Amino acid sequence: MNCSISGEVPEEPVVSRTSGLLFEKRLIERHISDYGKCPITSEPLAMDDIVPVKTGKIVKPRMVQTASIPGMIGMFQNEWDSLMLSNFALEQQLHTARQELSHALYQHDAACRVIARLKKERDEAGSLLAQAERQIPMSTSTAVSANASTGVSNGRRAAEDEELGPGAKKARPGISANIIADLTECNAALSQQRKKRQTRATLASVDALEKYTQLSSHPLHKTSKPGIISLDIHHSRDRIATGGADANAVVFDQSSGEILSTLSGHSKKVTSVKFVGDGDVVLTSSADKTVRIWQGAEDGNYNCRHVLKDHTAEVQAVTVHATNNYCVTASLDNTWCFYDLFTALCLAQVTDPSGSEGFTSAAFHPDGLILGMGTSGALVKIWDVKSQQNVANFDDHVKSGQTGPITSMSFSENGYFLATAAHDSVKVFDLRKLKNIRTLSFDDSDTPTNYAEFDHGGNYLAIAGADIRIYQVASVKAEWNCIKTFPDLSGTGKTTCVKFGPDAKYVAVGSMDRNLRLFGLRGDDGSLES
């Protein structure tokens, strides 16, 4: 007899007194403990109503298949066939899943492309809207004309502008009242912060600078046209951008010692490179008369977003305003251009009415309302950005017999000092009194000075020529001591540019070979000491 619950022969049979049904003892006891009634009749049932049945030992019969070797082989064959059928079904399911996944990935890629295109169209529309808002003071007809002039991408002008005669001058929207208000607000905020400015505790000390040695040398540019002409440092990310005579710019990561991206697009030497704020935007100017705006991508490369073609001669310098929304370019065509970086629109192109000398260097004052310009005739000109008027000139380089260009200029962070470099020397001007307070030159009068640069905090001044010299910045009356001299290790006898790293923890030097050199203190592991 079989158990009324499992349908199998019970090992410990019991009988219900109320229903007379046969059960497996362990099964009926569990059911009574859970429900308290008979599983078949649903009548109340207690453990006392269960009576055990005494039987002889039950021996289960062997299966027919296991009674002989042929039967066992047949059973194994059936199991193998079942396994193969199951495996085939799984392979079919895997193939179907792969096809579905491939289709889903294709749909995802197509969706990403559509989203990227829509974002691009949105950004272009936003740029046009921002440009239109800035041109509100203009008349309707002028605004329409200006909007049409931005119809060509990469900073190029529309067809009607390009068809103007060689003697005609392109119409510019001008620096609107909204932009002037933006510049003035930035000036007020930065001036207020500067009054409370204190020397950072993390700044490299004079003792540390005296111990600096060359840490590394990195070949970034081509050997066919060697020469690093310009460089800039992204302080928050510790990246270095260099512009070379090989018409390329290179973005280099100082911490890893690796090249992140090579910016190729100019046809002649890159005369100036600048990072824009804390973002992934790099500006490059070139002797090919253009300026390029490069945007960093997620893969680490930089793509050319705009090409600015408003100058008719070599573009010698580019400088970024403190708002990081505008930049100025200086050219040998005797003009400087004021650009909106978001729209790549040339808002104003200013011509120097005093002569035909071209501009060779440029720098914004830290507060952003004053613009310094160096000319090919050794004059230093100070411009008011709001009115685009030349408000002061320094001819001290000319008086000392200098006839060549002003090769670089740098404003101190305190806003008082301006350092300019020319062939004869580096001169430091006090902007409060409009006078030359320091002249720094090499011992040999025939040795040119090529570059001058204050560190980010205005505590040190570096000048570059046949070697590199670091001066400690002091007051007007105190002595500016030379605390360190680095030799020119390029073998060319001409260092072209020098920049201080974050907190002056290292000094980056470019020369007329293709190597970027870093000077600083070496840590115990051989790396740059932080």
Short mmCIF file of all heavy atoms in Angstrom, two decimals, residues 202-223:
data_model
loop_
_atom_site.label_atom_id
_atom_site.label_comp_id
_atom_site.label_asym_id
_atom_site.label_seq_id
_atom_site.Cartn_x
_atom_site.Cartn_y
_atom_site.Cartn_z
N THR A 202 52.28 77.42 0.76
CA THR A 202 52.85 76.35 -0.04
C THR A 202 53.85 76.85 -1.08
O THR A 202 54.42 76.04 -1.83
CB THR A 202 51.73 75.59 -0.76
OG1 THR A 202 50.92 76.52 -1.49
CG2 THR A 202 50.85 74.86 0.25
N LEU A 203 54.06 78.17 -1.17
CA LEU A 203 54.98 78.73 -2.15
C LEU A 203 56.41 78.24 -1.88
O LEU A 203 56.85 78.18 -0.72
CB LEU A 203 54.94 80.25 -2.10
CG LEU A 203 55.88 80.99 -3.05
CD1 LEU A 203 55.41 80.84 -4.48
CD2 LEU A 203 55.99 82.46 -2.67
N ALA A 204 57.13 77.89 -2.94
CA ALA A 204 58.52 77.46 -2.78
C ALA A 204 59.35 78.58 -2.18
O ALA A 204 59.24 79.74 -2.60
CB ALA A 204 59.08 77.02 -4.13
N SER A 205 60.18 78.26 -1.22
CA SER A 205 61.01 79.26 -0.55
C SER A 205 62.23 79.61 -1.39
O SER A 205 62.59 78.91 -2.34
CB SER A 205 61.45 78.74 0.81
OG SER A 205 62.29 77.61 0.67
N VAL A 206 62.90 80.70 -0.99
CA VAL A 206 64.13 81.09 -1.67
C VAL A 206 65.19 80.02 -1.51
O VAL A 206 65.93 79.70 -2.46
CB VAL A 206 64.62 82.45 -1.11
CG1 VAL A 206 65.98 82.80 -1.70
CG2 VAL A 206 63.61 83.54 -1.42
N ASP A 207 65.29 79.43 -0.32
CA ASP A 207 66.27 78.37 -0.08
C ASP A 207 66.03 77.18 -1.00
O ASP A 207 66.98 76.57 -1.49
CB ASP A 207 66.21 77.92 1.39
CG ASP A 207 66.68 79.01 2.33
OD1 ASP A 207 67.41 79.91 1.87
OD2 ASP A 207 66.31 78.97 3.52
N ALA A 208 64.76 76.85 -1.21
CA ALA A 208 64.45 75.73 -2.10
C ALA A 208 64.82 76.05 -3.54
O ALA A 208 65.40 75.22 -4.25
CB ALA A 208 62.96 75.39 -2.00
N LEU A 209 64.51 77.28 -3.99
CA LEU A 209 64.84 77.67 -5.36
C LEU A 209 66.34 77.63 -5.62
O LEU A 209 66.79 77.27 -6.71
CB LEU A 209 64.30 79.07 -5.65
CG LEU A 209 62.82 79.17 -6.05
CD1 LEU A 209 62.34 80.60 -5.98
CD2 LEU A 209 62.61 78.62 -7.44
N GLU A 210 67.12 77.97 -4.61
CA GLU A 210 68.58 77.96 -4.78
C GLU A 210 69.12 76.56 -5.03
O GLU A 210 70.22 76.40 -5.57
CB GLU A 210 69.24 78.56 -3.54
CG GLU A 210 69.01 80.07 -3.40
CD GLU A 210 69.58 80.61 -2.10
OE1 GLU A 210 69.93 79.78 -1.22
OE2 GLU A 210 69.69 81.84 -1.97
N LYS A 211 68.35 75.52 -4.66
CA LYS A 211 68.79 74.14 -4.81
C LYS A 211 68.23 73.48 -6.07
O LYS A 211 68.47 72.29 -6.30
CB LYS A 211 68.37 73.32 -3.58
CG LYS A 211 68.96 73.83 -2.28
CD LYS A 211 68.41 73.03 -1.09
CE LYS A 211 68.94 73.58 0.23
NZ LYS A 211 68.37 72.84 1.40
N TYR A 212 67.46 74.22 -6.87
CA TYR A 212 66.84 73.62 -8.04
C TYR A 212 67.91 73.15 -9.04
O TYR A 212 68.90 73.83 -9.29
CB TYR A 212 65.92 74.62 -8.74
CG TYR A 212 64.55 74.75 -8.10
CD1 TYR A 212 64.27 74.19 -6.86
CD2 TYR A 212 63.52 75.44 -8.74
CE1 TYR A 212 63.03 74.32 -6.28
CE2 TYR A 212 62.26 75.59 -8.16
CZ TYR A 212 62.03 75.02 -6.92
OH TYR A 212 60.79 75.15 -6.35
N THR A 213 67.67 71.96 -9.61
CA THR A 213 68.50 71.42 -10.68
C THR A 213 67.59 70.86 -11.76
O THR A 213 66.37 70.76 -11.57
CB THR A 213 69.42 70.30 -10.16
OG1 THR A 213 68.59 69.24 -9.60
CG2 THR A 213 70.38 70.80 -9.10
N GLN A 214 68.17 70.49 -12.87
CA GLN A 214 67.34 69.92 -13.94
C GLN A 214 66.82 68.56 -13.52
O GLN A 214 67.58 67.68 -13.12
CB GLN A 214 68.11 69.79 -15.25
CG GLN A 214 67.26 69.17 -16.36
CD GLN A 214 67.93 69.18 -17.71
OE1 GLN A 214 68.39 70.20 -18.17
NE2 GLN A 214 68.00 68.02 -18.35
N LEU A 215 65.50 68.39 -13.61
CA LEU A 215 64.87 67.14 -13.26
C LEU A 215 64.67 66.23 -14.46
O LEU A 215 64.84 65.01 -14.38
CB LEU A 215 63.50 67.41 -12.61
CG LEU A 215 63.51 68.23 -11.32
CD1 LEU A 215 62.07 68.50 -10.88
CD2 LEU A 215 64.25 67.48 -10.23
N SER A 216 64.29 66.81 -15.58
CA SER A 216 63.98 65.99 -16.76
C SER A 216 64.03 66.84 -18.01
O SER A 216 63.98 68.08 -17.96
CB SER A 216 62.59 65.35 -16.62
OG SER A 216 61.60 66.35 -16.45
N SER A 217 64.14 66.16 -19.14
CA SER A 217 64.13 66.80 -20.45
C SER A 217 63.25 65.96 -21.36
O SER A 217 63.43 64.74 -21.45
CB SER A 217 65.54 66.91 -21.02
OG SER A 217 65.53 67.46 -22.31
N HIS A 218 62.28 66.58 -22.02
CA HIS A 218 61.28 65.85 -22.80
C HIS A 218 61.28 66.34 -24.24
O HIS A 218 60.98 67.50 -24.51
CB HIS A 218 59.89 66.04 -22.19
CG HIS A 218 59.82 65.71 -20.74
ND1 HIS A 218 59.64 64.42 -20.28
CD2 HIS A 218 59.92 66.49 -19.63
CE1 HIS A 218 59.62 64.42 -18.96
NE2 HIS A 218 59.79 65.66 -18.54
N PRO A 219 61.62 65.47 -25.19
CA PRO A 219 61.60 65.84 -26.62
C PRO A 219 60.16 65.86 -27.14
O PRO A 219 59.58 64.83 -27.46
CB PRO A 219 62.43 64.75 -27.28
CG PRO A 219 62.28 63.56 -26.37
CD PRO A 219 62.13 64.10 -24.98
N LEU A 220 59.57 67.04 -27.25
CA LEU A 220 58.15 67.15 -27.60
C LEU A 220 57.92 67.48 -29.07
O LEU A 220 56.84 67.20 -29.59
CB LEU A 220 57.49 68.24 -26.74
CG LEU A 220 57.59 68.07 -25.22
CD1 LEU A 220 56.79 69.17 -24.53
CD2 LEU A 220 57.10 66.71 -24.78
N HIS A 221 58.91 68.09 -29.73
CA HIS A 221 58.68 68.57 -31.09
C HIS A 221 59.62 67.87 -32.08
O HIS A 221 60.53 67.13 -31.69
CB HIS A 221 58.85 70.08 -31.14
CG HIS A 221 57.78 70.81 -30.39
ND1 HIS A 221 56.60 71.23 -30.96
CD2 HIS A 221 57.71 71.18 -29.08
CE1 HIS A 221 55.85 71.83 -30.05
NE2 HIS A 221 56.50 71.81 -28.90
N LYS A 222 59.42 68.16 -33.35
CA LYS A 222 60.15 67.49 -34.41
C LYS A 222 61.59 67.99 -34.49
O LYS A 222 61.88 69.14 -34.17
CB LYS A 222 59.45 67.71 -35.76
CG LYS A 222 58.04 67.14 -35.83
CD LYS A 222 57.40 67.45 -37.17
CE LYS A 222 55.99 66.91 -37.25
NZ LYS A 222 55.34 67.23 -38.55
N THR A 223 62.46 67.10 -34.96
CA THR A 223 63.86 67.49 -35.13
C THR A 223 64.09 68.26 -36.42
O THR A 223 65.10 68.95 -36.56
CB THR A 223 64.75 66.23 -35.13
OG1 THR A 223 64.28 65.33 -36.16
CG2 THR A 223 64.68 65.52 -33.80
#
